[in-house]
Structure formats: C-alpha cells, structure tokens
Amino acid sequence: MNIRHAKTFFLGALVLCFLVSLFANQINSYWLFISYDIGINIILAVSLNLINGYTGQFSLGHAGFMAVGAYTAAAITNQFGELNPYLSIAVFLGALLAGGLLAAVAGLLVGIPTLRLRGDYLAIVTLGFGEIIRVVFQNMQSVGGARGLSVMHGWTNFFWAFGFAAVTVYVVTALVHSTYGRGFIAVRDDEVAASAMGISTTKYKVTAFVVGAFFAGIAGGLYAHSKQFITPGGFNFMQSIAIVVMVILGGMGNTIGVIIAAILLTLLPEGLRAIADIEHIPGIVTAHPFVWVSDTRMIIYSLLLIILMLTRPQGLFSLRKSLSK
Amino acid sequence: MTEFLQQLINGLALGSILALIALGYTMVYGILRFINFAHGDIFMLGAFAGFYLAPKVAMFLPMPSIGGGLAVMGISMAICAVVGILIEKLAYRPLRRSPKLTVLITAIGVSLLIEYTCQNDHVFGAAPKSFPTIFPEYHITQLSGLSLNSNQIIVFAVTLILLLALRFIVLKTKIGMAMRALSFNPEAAALMGINTDIVISFTFGLGSALAAAAGILFAVNYPSIDPLMGVLPGLKAFVAAVLGGIGNLPGAALGGVIIGVTETLVAGYISSTYRDAIAFGILIIILLVKPSGLLGKKEIEKV
C-alpha cells in the first residue's frame, strides 16, 4: 500500500462506513457487535504493526496502552448523564482523544527504556509495563479496582469503530511512507547502520511507541464503550499476545496483511463456536458432533502459531522472504 | 524486628524457588541467546507431575516422609527433563538459524500450547487442585517468636544441594566445560569437536529438571496448583536472571533471592496487591541503571 492508495482507501473507507452506519439498525445486533470488535482489532493490530513491524521493536504490552485508553475514556464519559446526540458525540470524541493522549504518555514512558534495549529484553520490559499498568488499575478503587468498571454509555457504533480504523490505517501508512517515516524502516533493517547515517534511532523508536500507544488508547476507549464493562483482567498479557498474533499472521510490516489477519482472527472464534453449535449432521447419530472444537480452540490457535513460525515466519499474507535480517 | 526476620525467612524461601527457575532461563540464554518462554510452564508441569505421582509413590514408600517426597521430586525432575529436551528438539532446533524474533514467538506459542492443553478437561482441567502432603510437616516456633516451617527448611536444603550439584556439573565435568565453551562462542566450540546438539539438549534437560524441582517445592509451600501457576513465577524468575546478569549462574541465584525477599517485604509492609508489579519495577530500574545486571559483563556491540 503506497501513500496514494492510502488516501483513496481512507476516503473510500470513510464513505463506506458512513453508508453502512445508516443501515446499522437493520443489522443483527450479534453481527453488529462482532463488527465493532473487528474495527477495534484493526486499530490495535495496525498500530502495533508500526512498532513491531515497521520499526522492528518487539512490544508485548499493547493491552496496557489499551487499558489506559479504556479507563480514561470510560472515567470521563461516566461523569455525564443522558446527553443530546450532538453533545454526546462531542463528549465521546473528547474522551477517546483524552484516552489516546494518556496512552501516548504511557507510550513515551515505555519508549524511554527502549533507548538502551532491544530484542528479547525489550519484549520483557514492555510485557512488564503492561502488567504494571494492569496492577495499578487493579488497585485504583476509584475506577472499581479488580471488580471492574461499568461504562454507562454504549456510544461505540459502526461509524466510529471503522472510522477510527480507517484513520489509523491512513496515519500509519502515510507516516511510514513519508520522507520522515523512512527512518522507521531504516531502524528496523539495521540499527547500527541507520545511526551511522545520522538517523536518531532513539527518536524514531520513541515516536513509534507514542503513535502506536495513542491509537491503542483510542481502541481501548472504543472497546470500553462497546462492551460497557471493563476489568483490569481483560487487558492482561494474553490480550497483548492476541494482538501480536494478528501482526505476525498478517506479516510484520504489511498493513493489508495485518488488516486481513485482524478480521480473520476476530471471526475465527465465532466460526469455531458456530461449528461447535451444529446439532447434528445427517448420517451421524451423535448429537453435537463438533462440540470438541470449542474446547480445543485455543490449543489449535497456539499450535497454528508454532507451525506458522516453523514454516512461514514472514506471515501468511506476506510475499517477502523473511523477517528483518 | 521479629516480624522483619520472619518476613525475611519467608522471602528467602520464595527467593530460593525463583532462583531454581532463573537458573534454567539463564543457562538457555547463555547458550542460545533467547528467552525460553515455556520455562514457567515446565515449572507447572513439574508440580502436576508431583500431584499425579504422589499416590503412585505412596504404594512403595511411606508418604509424608523425606524419602517419599524426594522420590516424587526425583521422578518429576526426570519427566520434565525429557519434556524440556523434546520441546527443544521439536520447536526450537528447526529454528536454530532463524531470526531471534521468530524463535521468541515460537517460544510464546509453545508456552500457550502447554497452558491451553493442560487447561483442557481431558488433561488437567482449569480448576485448581490441592497438592498432597509429601513431606512431613512440623512447625518450629522458637527463637524469640520466629516460626520456621519444616517445608521452608526443605526448600533451603534442596535448593542448596541442587545449586552445589549444578556448580559441580558446570565447573568440574566434561559436559559442563562444553556448556561453558558453547556460551563463549558456539561456532568455535563446534569447530573444537563439541557436539552442540547434545550439549544444548543437556542444557534444556538440566534447566527443566531444576524448574520441576522448583515446581514441587512451590506446591509444597503453596499447595494449590493450576495450569496457569507457572506464568507469574516464570516471568519473575526471568527478571531475577536479568537482575543477576543473564547468562551468569551465581547471578541468577542471587537475583532470585533478591526478588523473593523484596516481594515478600513489600507485600508485608506496603501493600500485598502490588506484589506482582514489584518484579517488573525492579526489572525496569535495573535495565535503566545497569543493563548488564549485577554480576554480568558488559557486552560490546560489534558490527
């Protein structure tokens, strides 16, 4: 996806999600909620792709940024009662942006230790940051602590979920393909060579973390206003891994692949659940012949991850031969 | 003062267990330069092996006894050593020449696979199980009000013996010398006629056996086990390995003790809900102040 495609895509996506949102009340609410998840997961995966894919840093703490955004946005909107539609949009957008900005501050804090770390160490530190953020929310009684926080307004809708997904895709693509953004790829391809060429690798790494965290915060805000109930446990290590898997499956540094992977991996559990719910097949006597699928879903998922790494480490939808180096 | 000493003893017991896990991380990192994420799950498998072995061993040996307990621990260590070697052979060996990130992701995949397989109802099930009493239990309440649990004495004794055994293996045996050679320079070691595959398998087996022993000791002290019990101790032990200087064996043991004591003191004096964040806080500080760890050597980046 080059920058011209990105602009067309951006405008097209905005128009499309506006049109779909006009018919949203005719869509089955089950599918509507899944579509919110798809939009949110696209934001998360594409923003993580900026850090992990384009800049070559390995972050395992994306759920922590998401938590900051979710809690901030929810705490803000919970201050308001019933509002008229226009005011509610203004409050919602303000809350999402505040969540994004606070997550970006968290991203800056995580970005600073990355000045000296790389590879495995960085992965563990980001994981640690994610866990620290979770523990802090667990102890913050003003937002419910470990019991969780209920969010009064279900303001996330199709337009906002996919509108922000389109914004994320556009910003990340435009950033990486700009003259400035070439630096991200240079840092990924060879950090020593990049710094020898006069690129401030530190600045690029921190920028990637801040921008990635900002969008993760937005996604968190959307998530909170879609589920209307958030707990610190929902933003744990496993959630971060789920986002990382989307990026890896799609191919690191391949935005279109990552979007496809985010969509597929959101639909996969629903599809497996549907298979497990099949009551009978003609010719087979046992009731619920595929019920085992729901038990083994996560086993299949992790096995897929290992097999993918052994056979196609560049991701399913990537044409490039290998990861960096 | 008494309370402080009491917390110190509890912290040392936890720290000894973390030290045993950290040794496995640091050995594998020293040789292959990657974090074996599945190590915490080997620790869990060790505890579960003990859970299922205890009734079997009880048929031959009196059960809450030193001999019976050690037999359970020994068999569990052997089982986990085999599991560790198999994981290395199946998942990591094909990736020996791949980028580090690929191996790291595979390790995460292996860890998830073990956790979810064990949570399946046909395997262990997700519900916590209570670990049987395998060592005789006494409480010694003396020494000006200090209470010392017999299980804690077992932790200290077993850890000390295992550490001395490991020191002997690494410093005095031929395979230990090969391990050290490999951690200096794998290619040169291979050129000197060292069979790297065997040494790497041995390292994984040794690390996994130590993790299994830690799992049994953990379960003896905190007798509720579940398939996700290895996640946090695994991460904390990794932090311990980094704190001591990764790749450095005495450093890993020291780091484990420091993390265990700090965590227990913080839980006792400040807030027990923050205990899980302590290890990561220490990690971030150590990486900012002295990234090579307390006893580690600074590595120079070469182009």
Side-chain angles (χ1 to χ4, degrees), chain A residues 116 118 121 125 139 192 323, chain B residues 102 116 246 273 287-288 301:
Chain A
R116 1 195 356 173
R118 56 193 60 177
Y121 279 101
V125 167
N139 285 288
V192 179
L323 294 167
Chain B
T102 312
Y116 284 113
I246 196 142
T273 43
L287 286 174
L288 285 175
E301 190 171 351

Side-chain angles (χ1 to χ4, degrees), chain A residues 100-162:
Chain A
L101 287 176
L102 222 60
V105 171
L108 186 68
L109 290 178
V110 179
I112 292 167
T114 66
L115 318 183
R116 1 195 356 173
L117 305 174
R118 56 193 60 177
D120 314 354
Y121 279 101
L122 178 64
I124 289 288
V125 167
T126 51
L127 193 165
F129 259 109
E131 288 293 298
I132 289 176
I133 290 173
R134 188 176 62 80
V135 172
V136 167
F137 281 121
Q138 221 153 40
N139 285 288
M140 214 183 263
Q141 294 308 325
S142 55
V143 289
R147 280 166 296 136
L149 177 68
S150 43
V151 183
M152 270 157 55
H153 307 282
W155 280 338
T156 298
N157 60 24
F158 192 90
F159 180 74
W160 293 126
F162 281 87

